[in-house]
Short mmCIF file of all heavy atoms in Angstrom, two decimals:
data_model
loop_
_atom_site.label_atom_id
_atom_site.label_comp_id
_atom_site.label_asym_id
_atom_site.label_seq_id
_atom_site.Cartn_x
_atom_site.Cartn_y
_atom_site.Cartn_z
N HIS A 1 -1.43 0.88 -3.07
CA HIS A 1 -0.87 -0.54 -3.25
C HIS A 1 0.36 -0.63 -2.44
O HIS A 1 1.15 0.18 -2.44
CB HIS A 1 -0.72 -0.97 -4.65
CG HIS A 1 -0.89 -2.42 -4.88
ND1 HIS A 1 0.12 -3.33 -4.37
CD2 HIS A 1 -1.74 -3.20 -5.36
CE1 HIS A 1 -0.30 -4.47 -4.73
NE2 HIS A 1 -1.43 -4.47 -5.31
N SER A 2 0.45 -1.68 -1.60
CA SER A 2 1.65 -1.94 -0.82
C SER A 2 2.92 -2.05 -1.65
O SER A 2 4.11 -1.89 -1.25
CB SER A 2 1.53 -3.16 0.11
OG SER A 2 1.39 -4.29 -0.85
N ASP A 3 2.74 -2.46 -2.97
CA ASP A 3 3.97 -2.66 -3.93
C ASP A 3 4.62 -1.26 -4.20
O ASP A 3 5.64 -1.28 -4.97
CB ASP A 3 3.54 -3.39 -5.18
CG ASP A 3 3.24 -4.81 -4.94
OD1 ASP A 3 3.55 -5.35 -3.78
OD2 ASP A 3 2.86 -5.55 -5.85
N LEU A 4 4.13 -0.19 -3.66
CA LEU A 4 4.90 1.04 -3.76
C LEU A 4 6.26 0.86 -3.07
O LEU A 4 7.17 1.61 -3.22
CB LEU A 4 4.23 2.21 -3.17
CG LEU A 4 3.27 3.06 -4.18
CD1 LEU A 4 1.95 2.30 -4.39
CD2 LEU A 4 2.91 4.39 -3.59
N GLY A 5 6.33 -0.11 -2.13
CA GLY A 5 7.53 -0.41 -1.44
C GLY A 5 7.68 0.52 -0.18
O GLY A 5 6.92 1.57 -0.05
N PRO A 6 8.53 0.15 0.71
CA PRO A 6 8.63 0.90 2.05
C PRO A 6 8.97 2.37 1.83
O PRO A 6 8.42 3.24 2.48
CB PRO A 6 9.78 0.11 2.73
CG PRO A 6 10.51 -0.68 1.67
CD PRO A 6 9.54 -1.06 0.64
N ARG A 7 9.88 2.65 0.90
CA ARG A 7 10.20 4.11 0.87
C ARG A 7 9.10 4.92 0.11
O ARG A 7 8.79 6.07 0.43
CB ARG A 7 11.44 4.32 -0.10
CG ARG A 7 12.79 3.92 0.64
CD ARG A 7 13.95 4.18 -0.22
NE ARG A 7 13.94 3.35 -1.46
CZ ARG A 7 14.67 3.57 -2.51
NH1 ARG A 7 15.57 4.57 -2.55
NH2 ARG A 7 14.58 2.78 -3.51
N GLY A 8 8.44 4.27 -0.93
CA GLY A 8 7.29 4.87 -1.61
C GLY A 8 6.16 5.14 -0.64
O GLY A 8 5.43 6.13 -0.62
N LEU A 9 5.84 4.14 0.22
CA LEU A 9 4.73 4.27 1.12
C LEU A 9 4.95 5.34 2.19
O LEU A 9 4.10 6.16 2.42
CB LEU A 9 4.51 2.93 1.90
CG LEU A 9 3.96 1.70 0.99
CD1 LEU A 9 4.04 0.49 1.89
CD2 LEU A 9 2.52 2.00 0.66
N LYS A 10 6.22 5.32 2.68
CA LYS A 10 6.57 6.39 3.69
C LYS A 10 6.51 7.81 3.01
O LYS A 10 6.03 8.77 3.70
CB LYS A 10 7.87 6.09 4.29
CG LYS A 10 8.22 6.87 5.49
CD LYS A 10 9.38 6.55 6.23
CE LYS A 10 9.63 7.26 7.53
NZ LYS A 10 9.44 8.74 7.44
N GLN A 11 7.10 7.91 1.91
CA GLN A 11 7.02 9.24 1.22
C GLN A 11 5.68 9.75 0.97
O GLN A 11 5.41 10.96 1.31
CB GLN A 11 7.85 9.13 -0.14
CG GLN A 11 7.93 10.37 -0.89
CD GLN A 11 8.56 10.32 -2.21
OE1 GLN A 11 9.31 9.31 -2.45
NE2 GLN A 11 8.32 11.25 -3.09
N LEU A 12 4.80 8.79 0.63
CA LEU A 12 3.35 9.29 0.42
C LEU A 12 2.75 9.65 1.73
O LEU A 12 2.11 10.72 1.78
CB LEU A 12 2.71 8.11 -0.26
CG LEU A 12 1.23 8.36 -0.60
CD1 LEU A 12 1.03 9.41 -1.54
CD2 LEU A 12 0.54 7.08 -1.04
N VAL A 13 2.86 8.87 2.75
CA VAL A 13 2.19 9.15 4.00
C VAL A 13 2.73 10.33 4.61
O VAL A 13 1.97 11.29 5.10
CB VAL A 13 2.33 7.93 4.98
CG1 VAL A 13 1.81 8.27 6.35
CG2 VAL A 13 1.54 6.68 4.42
N ASP A 14 4.06 10.56 4.56
CA ASP A 14 4.72 11.77 5.16
C ASP A 14 4.23 13.11 4.43
O ASP A 14 4.04 14.02 5.03
CB ASP A 14 6.24 11.65 5.00
CG ASP A 14 6.83 10.65 5.99
OD1 ASP A 14 6.11 10.18 6.84
OD2 ASP A 14 8.04 10.35 5.87
N ASN A 15 4.00 12.96 3.10
CA ASN A 15 3.61 14.15 2.35
C ASN A 15 2.15 14.47 2.65
O ASN A 15 1.77 15.58 2.56
CB ASN A 15 3.83 13.88 0.85
CG ASN A 15 5.18 14.29 0.44
OD1 ASN A 15 5.56 15.43 0.33
ND2 ASN A 15 5.99 13.31 0.17
N LEU A 16 1.24 13.43 2.94
CA LEU A 16 -0.07 13.73 3.27
C LEU A 16 -0.12 14.35 4.71
O LEU A 16 -1.12 15.09 4.99
CB LEU A 16 -0.90 12.46 3.24
CG LEU A 16 -1.20 11.96 1.88
CD1 LEU A 16 -1.84 10.58 1.92
CD2 LEU A 16 -2.21 12.86 1.16
N GLY A 17 0.80 14.01 5.55
CA GLY A 17 0.81 14.63 6.85
C GLY A 17 0.04 13.85 7.93
O GLY A 17 -0.93 13.16 7.52
N SER A 18 0.52 13.81 9.09
CA SER A 18 -0.17 12.99 10.21
C SER A 18 -1.45 13.45 10.52
O SER A 18 -2.23 12.70 11.04
CB SER A 18 0.82 13.01 11.42
OG SER A 18 0.97 14.38 11.84
N GLY A 19 -1.87 14.68 10.19
CA GLY A 19 -3.14 15.20 10.50
C GLY A 19 -4.14 15.05 9.43
O GLY A 19 -5.22 15.55 9.46
N SER A 20 -3.76 14.24 8.44
CA SER A 20 -4.66 14.03 7.26
C SER A 20 -5.96 13.41 7.63
O SER A 20 -6.04 12.63 8.65
CB SER A 20 -4.05 13.11 6.27
OG SER A 20 -4.90 12.74 5.21
N ALA A 21 -7.06 13.85 7.02
CA ALA A 21 -8.38 13.27 7.33
C ALA A 21 -8.64 11.95 6.75
O ALA A 21 -9.36 11.18 7.24
CB ALA A 21 -9.45 14.24 6.67
N TRP A 22 -7.77 11.55 5.76
CA TRP A 22 -7.82 10.24 5.18
C TRP A 22 -7.13 9.20 6.06
O TRP A 22 -6.18 9.39 6.71
CB TRP A 22 -7.14 10.16 3.88
CG TRP A 22 -7.68 11.08 2.85
CD1 TRP A 22 -8.85 11.02 2.24
CD2 TRP A 22 -7.14 12.27 2.33
NE1 TRP A 22 -9.06 11.98 1.33
CE2 TRP A 22 -8.08 12.88 1.53
CE3 TRP A 22 -5.94 13.04 2.68
CZ2 TRP A 22 -7.67 14.04 0.79
CZ3 TRP A 22 -5.65 14.16 2.02
CH2 TRP A 22 -6.62 14.73 0.96
N LYS A 23 -7.77 7.99 6.15
CA LYS A 23 -7.11 6.83 6.68
C LYS A 23 -6.54 6.05 5.42
O LYS A 23 -7.35 5.66 4.63
CB LYS A 23 -8.10 5.92 7.44
CG LYS A 23 -8.40 6.63 8.84
CD LYS A 23 -9.31 5.67 9.64
CE LYS A 23 -9.38 6.19 11.14
NZ LYS A 23 -10.15 7.48 11.09
N ILE A 24 -5.21 5.96 5.21
CA ILE A 24 -4.58 5.29 4.18
C ILE A 24 -4.40 3.77 4.36
O ILE A 24 -3.73 3.46 5.40
CB ILE A 24 -3.25 5.96 3.84
CG1 ILE A 24 -3.42 7.50 3.51
CG2 ILE A 24 -2.59 5.29 2.70
CD1 ILE A 24 -4.25 7.82 2.38
N LEU A 25 -5.06 3.03 3.55
CA LEU A 25 -4.87 1.59 3.71
C LEU A 25 -3.99 1.00 2.64
O LEU A 25 -4.26 1.40 1.48
CB LEU A 25 -6.28 0.90 3.69
CG LEU A 25 -7.33 1.49 4.72
CD1 LEU A 25 -8.67 0.66 4.55
CD2 LEU A 25 -6.75 1.28 6.08
N ALA A 26 -3.09 0.10 2.83
CA ALA A 26 -2.31 -0.59 1.82
C ALA A 26 -2.97 -1.86 1.45
O ALA A 26 -3.22 -2.64 2.28
CB ALA A 26 -0.88 -0.62 2.31
N VAL A 27 -3.08 -2.07 0.13
CA VAL A 27 -3.57 -3.36 -0.33
C VAL A 27 -2.39 -4.44 -0.21
O VAL A 27 -1.34 -4.00 -0.77
CB VAL A 27 -4.09 -3.24 -1.83
CG1 VAL A 27 -4.57 -4.59 -2.32
CG2 VAL A 27 -5.27 -2.26 -1.83
N THR A 28 -2.63 -5.53 0.38
CA THR A 28 -1.63 -6.47 0.53
C THR A 28 -1.63 -7.42 -0.67
O THR A 28 -0.79 -7.29 -1.68
CB THR A 28 -1.70 -7.22 1.81
OG1 THR A 28 -2.99 -7.79 1.93
CG2 THR A 28 -1.50 -6.29 3.06
N VAL A 29 -2.47 -8.49 -0.69
CA VAL A 29 -2.52 -9.48 -1.64
C VAL A 29 -4.00 -9.50 -2.08
O VAL A 29 -4.91 -9.87 -1.19
CB VAL A 29 -1.99 -10.80 -1.23
CG1 VAL A 29 -2.17 -11.87 -2.36
CG2 VAL A 29 -0.57 -10.69 -0.83
N LEU A 30 -4.33 -9.40 -3.41
CA LEU A 30 -5.72 -9.44 -3.78
C LEU A 30 -6.40 -10.74 -3.36
O LEU A 30 -5.74 -11.75 -3.54
CB LEU A 30 -5.81 -9.21 -5.32
CG LEU A 30 -5.32 -7.87 -5.80
CD1 LEU A 30 -5.46 -7.93 -7.36
CD2 LEU A 30 -6.12 -6.82 -5.32
N THR A 31 -7.72 -10.68 -2.94
CA THR A 31 -8.37 -11.92 -2.54
C THR A 31 -8.67 -12.84 -3.71
O THR A 31 -9.16 -13.92 -3.58
CB THR A 31 -9.55 -11.54 -1.82
OG1 THR A 31 -10.30 -10.64 -2.52
CG2 THR A 31 -9.26 -10.92 -0.35
N SER A 32 -8.45 -12.32 -4.96
CA SER A 32 -8.72 -13.14 -6.13
C SER A 32 -7.49 -14.02 -6.47
O SER A 32 -7.60 -14.89 -7.35
CB SER A 32 -9.09 -12.24 -7.29
OG SER A 32 -7.94 -11.27 -7.68
N LEU A 33 -6.39 -13.75 -5.73
CA LEU A 33 -5.05 -14.60 -6.05
C LEU A 33 -5.00 -15.69 -5.16
O LEU A 33 -5.19 -15.71 -3.92
CB LEU A 33 -3.85 -13.64 -5.88
CG LEU A 33 -3.75 -12.45 -6.83
CD1 LEU A 33 -2.52 -11.62 -6.44
CD2 LEU A 33 -3.58 -12.90 -8.26
N SER A 34 -4.57 -16.89 -5.87
CA SER A 34 -4.40 -18.06 -5.14
C SER A 34 -2.89 -18.35 -4.98
O SER A 34 -2.08 -17.60 -5.51
CB SER A 34 -5.01 -19.26 -5.94
OG SER A 34 -4.30 -19.44 -7.20
N ALA A 35 -2.60 -19.34 -4.22
CA ALA A 35 -1.12 -19.68 -4.08
C ALA A 35 -0.45 -20.00 -5.43
O ALA A 35 0.69 -19.59 -5.71
CB ALA A 35 -1.04 -20.92 -3.23
N SER A 36 -1.20 -20.73 -6.36
CA SER A 36 -0.58 -20.98 -7.68
C SER A 36 -0.40 -19.69 -8.43
O SER A 36 0.62 -19.56 -9.30
CB SER A 36 -1.45 -21.92 -8.38
OG SER A 36 -2.78 -21.39 -8.64
N ASP A 37 -1.30 -18.74 -8.25
CA ASP A 37 -1.09 -17.42 -8.96
C ASP A 37 0.23 -16.71 -8.46
O ASP A 37 0.90 -16.21 -9.32
CB ASP A 37 -2.28 -16.50 -8.71
CG ASP A 37 -3.58 -17.00 -9.35
OD1 ASP A 37 -3.54 -17.47 -10.48
OD2 ASP A 37 -4.59 -16.75 -8.77
N LEU A 38 0.40 -16.76 -7.20
CA LEU A 38 1.51 -16.09 -6.56
C LEU A 38 2.86 -16.76 -7.10
O LEU A 38 3.87 -16.08 -7.30
CB LEU A 38 1.40 -16.03 -5.09
CG LEU A 38 0.27 -15.23 -4.48
CD1 LEU A 38 0.23 -15.41 -2.97
CD2 LEU A 38 0.60 -13.79 -4.83
N GLU A 39 2.79 -18.11 -7.19
CA GLU A 39 3.95 -18.82 -7.71
C GLU A 39 4.28 -18.41 -9.17
O GLU A 39 5.43 -18.24 -9.50
CB GLU A 39 3.77 -20.25 -7.47
CG GLU A 39 5.08 -21.07 -7.45
CD GLU A 39 4.92 -22.48 -6.87
OE1 GLU A 39 3.73 -22.88 -6.63
OE2 GLU A 39 5.91 -23.10 -6.72
#
């Protein structure tokens, strides 16, 4: 989840290493959420 924040995301990716077999994708905003939900 992208809500780990910039430091949390970087710490996680750095620890996995650039040669990791995984492609790490960050979830931005769930497609079930509307503008009123976000407000």
Side-chain angles (χ1 to χ4, degrees):
H1 209 290
S2 61
D3 284 356
L4 271 77
R7 285 184 300 166
L9 289 170
K10 189 173 189 311
Q11 182 181 338
L12 179 62
V13 174
D14 286 351
N15 275 288
L16 285 170
S18 59
S20 170
W22 299 286
K23 287 184 172 64
I24 303 297
L25 306 179
V27 176
T28 54
V29 178
L30 296 177
T31 50
S32 60
L33 293 176
S34 65
S36 60
D37 291 324
L38 294 172
E39 200 159 10

